[in-house]
Amino acid sequence: MERFNLKNDFLAKEPLEALQNFFQTNVFWTYGWLASTSQSTFGHWNHDFLKTKRDNQEDAEHVLLGNESLGPIKDLWLQLKSDLLKDHSLVRCYANAHTFGIDGHPHTDSSTPGNYTTICYINPVWKPEWAGETVFFNEMGDIAHAVLPKPGRMVQFDGRILHAARGLSRVCPAMRVTLMFKTTVAGATQDAS
């Protein structure tokens, strides 16, 4: 797997609409989640689907597959698992949300090889003037990639890459919603990030 993989229109219209409907009726946000307890002090909105601990490295796929109420998320996971994440174990699955005034903080999701993050953007619409990009930094601390949270877009990356959710502009009337799948590959070192 590459260190960074972006796919536009990864989610087809029907699965994307199913996820959007699911989020509108089933997701209850809590505020104050930190991107990393060691790297940030400001929180954002979050909903944890599997209720695994932050440092979980055990395969939790059975939790997702065994919960019928998580149907659209399960369907997306099975799509990812059949193609892009064939040899990956699911260790965490949750959603984050940002509104105007809630900025992300640069952080890594892992400190060891073999740990990956897949972000799916599920907003119904997104405009460039709303900002809210996920930015990825290179080794010199410069922004190497900026990913606008367009509906149906997906980005996968090595969890050791420094990244952040940029704040939304004041003209943005929407909530920026991302669905995360944290995965490991066989032989990955235990990671507590």
Side-chain angles (χ1 to χ4, degrees), residues 170-181:
R170 69 179 67 210
V171 300
C172 179
M175 179 179 268
R176 174 193 184 272
V177 178
T178 55
L179 174 59
M180 258 67 64
F181 295 92

Side-chain angles (χ1 to χ4, degrees), residues 54-114:
R54 183 184 291 270
D55 61 352
N56 180 55
Q57 292 287 285
E58 300 297 320
D59 190 354
E61 179 181 60
H62 66 282
V63 178
L64 178 58
L65 298 182
N67 188 338
E68 290 301 318
S69 69
L70 299 177
I73 295 172
K74 176 183 75 170
D75 293 344
L76 177 54
W77 167 247
L78 292 174
Q79 177 185 351
L80 288 165
K81 182 94 172 169
S82 70
D83 182 22
L84 303 168
L85 300 176
K86 283 184 182 175
D87 299 322
H88 289 239
S89 296
L90 179 64
V91 295
R92 295 174 63 208
C93 179
Y94 59 89
N96 287 336
H98 292 78
T99 51
F100 174 70
I102 299 176
D103 298 316
H105 185 81
H107 66 283
T108 59
D109 292 340
S110 175
S111 59
T112 60

Side-chain angles (χ1 to χ4, degrees), residues 5 21 23 31 51 65 70 75 77 84 109 129 143 152 157 165 170 185:
N5 183 10
N21 291 335
F23 270 75
Y31 181 77
K51 309 293 188 237
L65 298 182
L70 299 177
D75 293 344
W77 167 247
L84 303 168
D109 292 340
E129 61 267 25
I143 294 174
F157 57 95
R170 69 179 67 210
V185 294

Side-chain angles (χ1 to χ4, degrees), residues 156-169:
Q156 296 172 310
F157 57 95
D158 184 316
R160 297 173 293 170
I161 297 175
L162 187 67
H163 62 284
R166 286 298 188 217
L168 282 58
S169 74

